[in-house]
Amino acid sequence: MTSLQTWTRSFSGWVVFCCCCCLPLLLTSPLPPKGAEVASTAHHACRLRKINFQQPYIRNRTYTLAKMASVSDQDTDNRLIGQHIYVNIKENNRCYMMKRIIEIVVKDVLLTEAKDRYPYTEEVAQFLASLTSELSRCKFLGHREHIEKNLEEMKRKMKQLGENGKIKAIGELDLLFDYTENACTDAPRKGGNKKKN
Ligand SMILES: *[C@@H]1O[C@H](CO)[C@@H](O)[C@H](O)[C@H]1NC(C)=O
């Protein structure tokens, strides 16, 4: 009898112990899977502060430069920057895409002889370079081939147009500005990605 009582008591002791200590441990949610963690970090690195695009001075310089160049660009059939750059590109890779396009425009266009032809090119190049350096940790997610394919296509088109390809790229700096703002900042601006004639 005594032994049965002892057994019952120690058994209920274990039940209490299990409920208090083991259950909470089991219920604690496991860490999020590695992939999700990496994805959210990469996404976070692909963000720019809205303030970058709200500085009237550099905004004006960029738009003015674009306007000056587009006056001498008679070709309206070709566009370097447009929705086609996002074909097969996932939403979360758009900012990365814009970062790569900015790098191309700065290196292959703004810092070439174009800077002697138009005013403000160096200022605008500097501003754009500051955006890419803020995006230095921004990496693509998933497959790379569509990104590279679209970038190659843009470079090919620019090269094919020769000197006018560079003028066109400068004439589209306002689009580059807007697309980057929309792709890399939260709460996209309404009426962005406007069409240009
Ligand atoms: C830039 O600023 C100048 C003078 O402040 C103004 O006349 C011009 O319209 C502005 N250009 C653009 C594209 O905002």
Side-chain angles (χ1 to χ4, degrees), residues 52-94:
N52 285 302
F53 301 92
Q54 290 168 336
Q55 304 166 81
Y57 177 82
I58 198 66
R59 190 183 185 90
N60 182 290
R61 289 300 195 237
T62 309
Y63 275 66
T64 305
L65 175 55
K67 203 168 223 160
M68 281 188 288
S70 63
V71 166
S72 41
D73 177 20
Q74 303 302 323
D75 156 39
T76 51
D77 297 335
N78 295 288
R79 273 276 289 275
L80 298 173
I81 299 198
Q83 285 301 318
H84 60 272
I85 60 172
Y86 290 150
V87 168
N88 295 320
I89 305 293
K90 289 204 186 75
E91 186 111 21
N92 57 4
N93 278 327
R94 288 184 172 194

Side-chain angles (χ1 to χ4, degrees), residues 8-194:
T8 315
R9 213 176 292 142
S10 75
F11 177 72
S12 24
W14 271 106
V15 170
V16 170
F17 173 78
C18 282
C19 289
C20 294
C21 306
C22 304
L23 214 58
L25 279 180
L26 287 174
L27 289 177
T28 335
S29 57
L31 288 171
K34 262 249 143 62
E37 220 174 309
V38 169
S40 83
T41 312
H43 183 71
H44 196 72
C46 294
R47 293 284 95 180
L48 288 170
R49 284 161 302 140
K50 202 92 180 157
I51 189 81
N52 285 302
F53 301 92
Q54 290 168 336
Q55 304 166 81
Y57 177 82
I58 198 66
R59 190 183 185 90
N60 182 290
R61 289 300 195 237
T62 309
Y63 275 66
T64 305
L65 175 55
K67 203 168 223 160
M68 281 188 288
S70 63
V71 166
S72 41
D73 177 20
Q74 303 302 323
D75 156 39
T76 51
D77 297 335
N78 295 288
R79 273 276 289 275
L80 298 173
I81 299 198
Q83 285 301 318
H84 60 272
I85 60 172
Y86 290 150
V87 168
N88 295 320
I89 305 293
K90 289 204 186 75
E91 186 111 21
N92 57 4
N93 278 327
R94 288 184 172 194
C95 185
Y96 174 79
M97 191 74 188
M98 292 317 298
K99 166 186 150 171
R100 295 283 306 275
I101 292 177
I102 291 176
E103 284 169 350
I104 293 166
V105 170
V106 168
K107 183 168 157 285
D108 296 353
V109 178
L110 294 179
L111 296 182
T112 62
E113 66 285 351
K115 69 175 185 290
D116 307 318
R117 182 164 178 173
Y118 297 104
Y120 317 140
T121 38
E122 279 175 281
E123 278 173 275
V124 173
Q126 224 164 57
F127 163 71
L128 292 173
S130 76
L131 298 183
T132 57
S133 87
E134 270 198 59
L135 291 171
S136 60
R137 290 184 310 115
C138 174
K139 303 281 188 285
F140 68 95
L141 297 168
H143 300 294
R144 141 169 252 154
E145 61 257 46
H146 288 304
I147 297 172
E148 300 302 330
K149 186 165 163 276
N150 293 7
L151 289 170
E152 279 311 312
E153 177 59 23
M154 190 196 114
K155 283 200 255 185
R156 193 194 57 76
K157 201 188 266 182
M158 195 159 71
K159 199 165 182 181
Q160 189 186 33
L161 295 171
E163 199 47 38
N164 203 53
K166 286 182 184 174
I167 295 170
K168 184 177 287 296
I170 298 174
E172 291 183 358
L173 280 171
D174 54 338
L175 290 174
L176 186 70
F177 188 98
D178 289 351
Y179 269 67
T180 307
E181 177 177 12
N182 283 323
C184 302
T185 66
D186 297 316
R189 207 160 46 87
K190 288 275 187 309
N193 296 357
K194 66 187 156 66

